[in-house]
Amino acid sequence: MTAPVSTDRASRTRPRRDDRTGGLRRGEGAAGWLFVAPVVVILGVFLFLPVLMALWVSFSDWSGRGSPLSSDVAFIGFDNYAELTSGQGLRSRDFGTALRNNAWYVVLVVPLQTALSLALAVFVSRRMLRARGFFRTAFYFPSVTSSVAITVLWIFLFSASGPVNALIAAITGGEGPNWFADPRGIVHLGLGAVGVDAAPAGLAEPGFLGISGWEWLAGPSVAMTALILMAVFTTSGTFMLLFIAALQNVGYELTEAGMMDGASGWQRFWRITLPQLRPTLFTVITLGLIGCWQVFDQIYTGTDGGPAKTTVTPAYLSYTSAFGNQDWGTGAAIAFILFVIIIAFTLLQRWLLRERPVSRRRIRRYQTRAQKNGDTA
């Protein structure tokens, strides 16, 4: 039988709290808040307060004169939002047109720039490639150039008598389109080439936001197509750098093991390399979605929303509504609807790119294959 341990001895063996350490930690916390206080104040004054004020403006009838917090400004609830989403009136139709244009812009730009940037990253990361620094600089150079300068250059290249149409004429013998003056959708042009020139009966009536189904399916206009090509050209270099950094962290041991198992180059990329790029892929797609839904400067500099409003985007419509028509409530409402759209698409693609557990069927298949390989050996 062992004697019980005395209380004094137990108290001596129990670790004691160091008051000086606790005080030092409290002091470190206060010092940390002191250091970050200027940034918090700057963000609060120049970011959070303007966002809250813009949110208030979207629920008010502020005309742009005086303070939006004055007693002359009335609270009108969701009237600005209802006017945009009712599907009736010019404002709702313009908003629907802007959403249609921007939706096609997103659908084409995000996949193309992601695929191109990944392909460029794989190309310049090859160990056998010479002058890799030159290729990386050349591919990244358009991303560091001013978007205004790129837009002006693009308008010159895609003008009716520009180099692009001259190249088309030299290759095909025909004339190229008048890019920035052609409002026709490329899907409608393709359907017209096979004899479908009119809308079917079920797609001719006005639908969501006052836009008919035939108009929703028109595709980007010829002018918007030129802007889509410009966006892919200018943004792929930036995302290429992100993929290059991710590829450098991919374990070569796994790729070597795949080669020993007889996997082809495409199988190694699809089954080994690409799954390890999932976090970078999520980042690239998220940044691409945000940038595409917020496209503004190319429209403002290049087309002013024309021709026939086929390059108008929600960001540009918000600007013209607020600063051009002095309809600040509508402009702020468009901005917050766009914010909700961006959040929704970000959450959706995060769900699509989530980590999925391996199914039991696949586990059994791998176990069966491993057993066969073991029996063969």
Side-chain angles (χ1 to χ4, degrees):
M1 182 174 180
T2 58
V5 182
S6 63
T7 306
D8 295 339
R9 184 178 178 182
S11 63
R12 287 197 301 270
T13 58
R14 187 184 303 122
R16 294 185 303 174
R17 179 181 177 182
D18 193 346
D19 294 335
R20 292 182 300 173
T21 303
L24 182 61
R25 290 177 179 175
R26 287 194 296 270
E28 288 179 348
W33 280 108
L34 182 62
F35 279 112
V36 302
V39 178
V40 173
V41 172
I42 291 174
L43 289 177
V45 172
F46 295 101
L47 180 62
F48 297 115
L49 287 181
V51 169
L52 293 177
M53 186 174 294
L55 182 62
W56 158 252
V57 169
S58 69
F59 292 108
S60 69
D61 61 351
W62 186 50
S63 62
R65 297 189 179 94
S67 173
L69 303 178
S70 64
S71 58
D72 298 333
V73 179
F75 176 77
I76 60 175
F78 289 92
D79 289 355
N80 291 323
Y81 293 90
E83 190 174 8
L84 289 170
T85 58
S86 63
Q88 300 176 356
L90 182 60
R91 290 180 180 177
S92 181
R93 180 172 176 81
D94 286 346
F95 182 61
T97 302
L99 277 183
R100 181 203 61 186
N101 299 336
N102 214 152
W104 280 108
Y105 186 89
V106 172
V107 165
L108 292 176
V109 170
V110 174
L112 288 176
Q113 71 183 6
T114 303
L116 180 59
S117 59
L118 180 57
L120 293 177
V122 172
F123 172 74
V124 300
S125 297
R126 299 180 62 183
R127 297 184 178 183
M128 302 300 295
L129 178 66
R130 296 183 179 181
R132 286 188 293 177
F134 167 77
F135 286 108
R136 292 180 181 182
T137 303
F139 294 149
Y140 182 66
F141 184 75
S143 301
V144 300
T145 308
S146 169
S147 62
V148 175
I150 289 290
T151 304
V152 173
L153 175 63
W154 216 255
I155 292 175
F156 164 71
L157 292 176
F158 284 82
S159 61
S161 58
V164 173
N165 280 352
L167 181 62
I168 293 175
I171 295 175
T172 64
E175 295 182 357
N178 193 357
W179 291 90
F180 289 104
D182 195 338
R184 295 175 296 172
I186 59 175
V187 176
H188 281 180
L189 290 175
L191 293 175
V194 295
V196 181
D197 296 324
L203 299 177
E205 297 297 327
F208 181 61
L209 298 178
I211 307 298
S212 66
W214 180 249
E215 292 175 309
W216 280 104
L217 298 177
S221 66
V222 176
M224 182 62 84
T225 303
L227 295 178
I228 288 172
L229 295 176
M230 181 180 67
V232 175
F233 173 75
T234 56
T235 58
S236 298
T238 300
F239 297 139
M240 178 195 69
L241 295 183
L242 298 179
F243 280 122
I244 289 175
L247 287 172
Q248 292 175 351
N249 294 326
V250 173
Y252 183 72
E253 296 80 6
L254 296 176
T255 304
E256 189 177 19
M259 295 174 62
M260 295 179 64
D261 288 339
S264 63
W266 173 252
Q267 289 174 334
R268 293 196 302 270
F269 174 79
W270 186 256
R271 300 292 184 180
I272 298 175
T273 303
L274 192 59
Q276 297 184 74
L277 299 179
R278 191 188 302 270
T280 305
L281 196 63
F282 171 77
T283 302
V284 168
I285 294 178
T286 301
L287 295 177
L289 284 172
I290 294 174
C292 287
W293 279 111
Q294 292 180 342
V295 59
F296 170 78
D297 48 351
Q298 296 90 338
I299 310 301
Y300 179 79
T301 307
T303 63
D304 284 331
K309 300 181 180 180
T310 56
T311 59
V312 172
T313 61
Y316 183 78
L317 185 63
S318 175
Y319 166 78
T320 55
S321 298
F323 292 91
N325 302 330
Q326 296 299 307
D327 193 354
W328 294 85
T330 301
I334 294 173
F336 280 98
I337 292 176
L338 187 60
F339 171 76
V340 173
I341 291 174
I342 292 174
I343 294 297
F345 272 89
T346 302
L347 294 177
L348 175 62
Q349 67 97 12
R350 181 176 183 179
W351 178 78
L352 292 175
L353 294 176
R354 72 190 187 280
E355 292 284 350
R356 294 179 176 86
V358 180
S359 64
R360 294 181 179 179
R361 184 183 65 178
R362 182 171 294 181
I363 292 176
R364 287 195 300 267
R365 186 174 61 185
Y366 289 157
Q367 291 175 347
T368 304
R369 185 181 301 175
Q371 290 176 359
K372 290 181 179 179
N373 293 336
D375 295 339
T376 304

